[in-house]
Amino acid sequence: MKTRSPLIVANWKLNGGTDLICTSVASFLRQKFRVQIGIAPPYVYISNMANFLRNSQIMVGSQNVSKFESGAFTGETSAQMLKEVGCQFCLIGHSERRQVFLENNASCHTKVASTLAAGLMPIICIGENAQQHELGLTKHILYRQLQESLLGQNIKNKQIAIAYEPIWAIGSGKAATPESVQDVHEYIFNELCTIFDEESAKNIRIIYGGSVNKNNAAQLLAMPNVDGLLVGGASLDPEHFSEICALANQITPEVEFNS
């Protein structure tokens, strides 16, 4: 039986607005969940979302965070600033940040450290592209991403999560099979045991992202090492995302989880 509470995260990317905030909030405030749910809207809506959800169990997070704490860095937002406006978690190293904005493992390492220091939960995104997948390099790529992002991080008494998001599956409608996701997640868990220790690794949730929807959510969550989901396009439909959360809730036993 799983001992890590499932984590379901919505990544709105460069989408959404006040209408989506209102409909999303309305859909969640009517429901009770045993799973942990987070929503990462665009920067400009974080404060509004945090305000609307202040009396709920839903977390609000950021899609990115600066590697700088302060200074002459126009357009950047620090982890401490995000904390002050109500953020509880940050996505770090999403494939689109890596591909479009050329972020690398070194910058992810710095961002993880600053996020942890601010008391926020980092969700470190890792994954291989289509060519790497076809060449059988998936675990080699993940090894480097994990080692270079996490080695030396102080995670004692901290919440942290890993999001495996195969780049070839994101937005393609071609989600990885539950069995292949389980295999990769098991590998990630074993690497976390090496980077930290087994006890620490057991408290790190490993979630899956890549064309997640209500039709494949339950199968993915049924896998032993799948501790949650990172939902992209489907999260822009409040009803659809609520269904995914409800599915996760249904398969989550009424027990006390370690978060």
Side-chain angles (χ1 to χ4, degrees), residues 181-207:
V181 172
Q182 163 60 21
D183 177 64
V184 173
H185 280 216
E186 185 174 10
Y187 171 78
I188 293 170
F189 173 75
N190 290 333
E191 285 305 313
L192 293 173
C193 290
T194 301
I195 295 171
F196 302 112
D197 55 67
E198 185 173 356
E199 192 61 33
S200 297
K202 287 179 179 178
N203 291 319
I204 299 174
R205 285 172 291 188
I206 307 170
I207 68 177

Side-chain angles (χ1 to χ4, degrees), residues 82-142:
L82 293 171
K83 174 78 171 181
E84 289 176 2
V85 297
C87 272
Q88 293 159 281
F89 69 90
C90 292
L91 298 180
I92 294 175
H94 190 281
S95 62
E96 290 155 9
R97 298 295 312 176
R98 295 176 188 264
Q99 290 182 302
V100 181
F101 300 99
L102 306 181
E103 291 191 9
N104 56 32
N105 296 331
S107 68
C108 288
H109 189 281
T110 303
K111 291 182 177 188
V112 170
S114 63
T115 300
L116 288 170
L120 301 174
M121 176 175 66
I123 301 177
I124 303 99
C125 302
I126 60 174
E128 80 283 11
N129 63 32
Q131 184 180 35
Q132 292 162 342
H133 177 70
E134 291 167 5
L135 291 173
L137 297 175
T138 296
K139 292 178 181 178
H140 173 75
I141 297 300
L142 300 186

Side-chain angles (χ1 to χ4, degrees), residues 65-85:
V65 60
S66 177
K67 62 182 180 179
F68 303 108
E69 293 183 10
S70 63
F73 303 107
T74 301
E76 292 289 277
T77 305
S78 73
Q80 187 58 43
M81 291 175 178
L82 293 171
K83 174 78 171 181
E84 289 176 2
V85 297

